[in-house]
Amino acid sequence: MSSSPQHLKVPADASRLPMTLPRLAEKKALGEPIVMVTAYDFPSARAAEAAGVDLVLVGDSGAMTVLGYESTVPVTIDELLVLARATRRGLRTPFLVGDLPFGSYEVSDEQAVATAFRFVKEAGCDAVKLEGGGPVSVDRAAAIVGAGIPVMGHVGLTPQTSTALGGYRAQGRTAAAAARIAREALALQAAGCFSIVFEAIPSAVAEQLMPRMEIPVIGIGAGSAVDGQVLVFHDLLGIREGLGARFVKRYASLQDEMAAGVGAFAEDVRTRRYPAPEHGYSIPAEEFDAFRSGLERTAERRSHRLHS
Ligand code: KIV
């Protein structure tokens, strides 16, 4: 294995150009669907790279998918930075967005900008994402954009504040709630966000908003009128127990495959089918003879000393 994964010798597709903000805007203008997926480590990043996705999000969903927390609330900046750095090492072309964890940006503009800088400087993220479209989130987004870091917004179901939203449930299902999402999305756009996630909102509400959205809108449970779609890596590949949200479409059942693979290995070890001769290493006969004679001579000398 290469000692330096940052300098991968063979890019998945050497002809593909790295995604940039102008290219993303161009995709929206041309009506080309934008693909975003979450990733949290080197192998998931390599899968995203090989698939040629446009955007990769080191989501705070990693709190649950890879760190085993019950929600996104407890995950720390340092924990997400470890995941973001590993993801960065696996990527060449997708635009990398780091999710700012709960409590790392709300307190002040200074706190938000300092956290965003860590994601860019320490993990190589191209941009950051923050949740919510209320006055606090809008101010923080504007401050980070003002400091020169692109920001992706996120409205609708915002898991970091799901307790306040009444749980993990679709948002914007009343006229007032839909109007609030519209206000928030437009405020984040006016604050300078380069893109925005619409999560778990009625498809009709998203569709109604689209003519007002000048920035690319990435949907997750927001229907097909938006500019692109995102799914959580572990959801789409079935590396998770349970069915997940209504919007999840499963393209594989890797959790079952992993359990079956580890189970087969355990069975092989217990029945001594593994390792087979082909899994071992050989030594030239003369070297082995010399080694064995040396061991025998040592044993003889030891026995001689004991009995003299
Ligand atoms: O953390 C995450 O995975 C996200 C996506 C669902 C957009 O925020």
Side-chain angles (χ1 to χ4, degrees):
M1 189 188 228
S2 161
S3 60
S4 174
Q6 292 99 318
H7 306 294
L8 295 159
K9 287 186 200 98
V10 188
D13 175 356
S15 65
R16 222 169 45 226
L17 292 170
M19 182 52 65
T20 59
L21 294 184
R23 259 188 218 112
L24 210 56
E26 195 184 21
K27 271 178 109 52
K28 177 180 171 77
L30 295 171
E32 284 178 19
I34 297 166
V35 183
M36 177 159 111
V37 70
T38 67
Y40 313 100
D41 57 11
F42 188 73
S44 53
R46 294 308 292 149
E49 176 74 48
V53 307
D54 302 305
L55 296 156
V56 167
L57 170 70
V58 180
D60 63 351
S61 50
M64 286 111 81
T65 56
V66 299
L67 298 178
Y69 289 119
E70 289 281 320
S71 76
T72 58
V73 169
V75 75
T76 65
I77 301 173
D78 287 329
E79 286 172 319
L80 279 189
L81 284 176
V82 170
L83 306 186
R85 279 195 287 268
T87 303
R88 173 78 281 167
R89 289 191 280 270
L91 294 181
R92 193 181 67 86
T93 52
F95 194 81
L96 179 61
V97 184
D99 222 356
L100 301 186
F102 186 53
S104 73
Y105 58 92
E106 298 89 335
V107 177
S108 64
D109 285 354
E110 290 71 22
Q111 184 209 26
V113 171
T115 306
F117 272 127
R118 290 196 67 191
F119 276 80
V120 173
K121 289 168 73 86
E122 296 178 34
C125 288
D126 299 306
V128 296
K129 178 170 85 57
L130 53 75
E131 289 191 7
V136 168
S137 296
V138 172
D139 284 354
R140 302 301 172 256
I144 298 170
V145 171
I149 297 174
V151 176
M152 175 178 265
H154 184 159
V155 296
L157 172 56
T158 45
Q160 293 177 2
T161 46
S162 61
T163 308
L165 296 175
Y168 275 74
R169 58 217 306 254
Q171 301 295 307
R173 299 181 89 176
T174 63
R180 188 165 68 90
I181 289 170
R183 276 196 304 278
E184 292 179 348
L186 293 171
L188 287 164
Q189 176 167 269
C193 287
F194 74 93
S195 172
I196 188 166
V197 169
F198 283 3
E199 179 165 354
I201 65 172
S203 310
V205 171
E207 192 176 347
Q208 193 64 31
L209 279 175
M210 284 312 288
R212 291 156 213 238
M213 299 307 300
E214 290 154 17
I215 57 177
V217 177
I218 313 295
I220 175 163
S224 58
V226 292
D227 299 302
Q229 300 291 333
V230 56
L231 277 180
V232 166
F233 188 84
H234 288 57
D235 285 342
L236 81 93
L237 292 178
I239 317 178
R240 211 173 173 179
E241 280 126 30
L243 284 176
R246 178 191 183 86
F247 51 71
V248 171
K249 181 170 176 187
R250 279 212 170 160
Y251 294 85
S253 299
L254 296 195
Q255 184 74 40
D256 296 344
E257 279 206 44
M258 288 196 289
V262 176
F265 167 64
E267 178 65 11
D268 268 8
V269 171
R270 290 182 185 125
T271 56
R272 301 188 188 282
R273 278 199 300 266
Y274 177 86
E278 68 267 25
H279 300 121
Y281 297 95
S282 64
I283 177 172
E286 63 276 17
E287 295 296 332
F288 185 66
D289 287 346
F291 163 67
R292 196 164 51 189
S293 313
L295 277 187
E296 280 164 9
R297 276 199 302 278
T298 309
E300 269 165 30
R301 274 201 298 275
R302 199 169 289 140
S303 140
H304 198 72
R305 269 203 304 275
L306 278 176
H307 297 105
S308 63

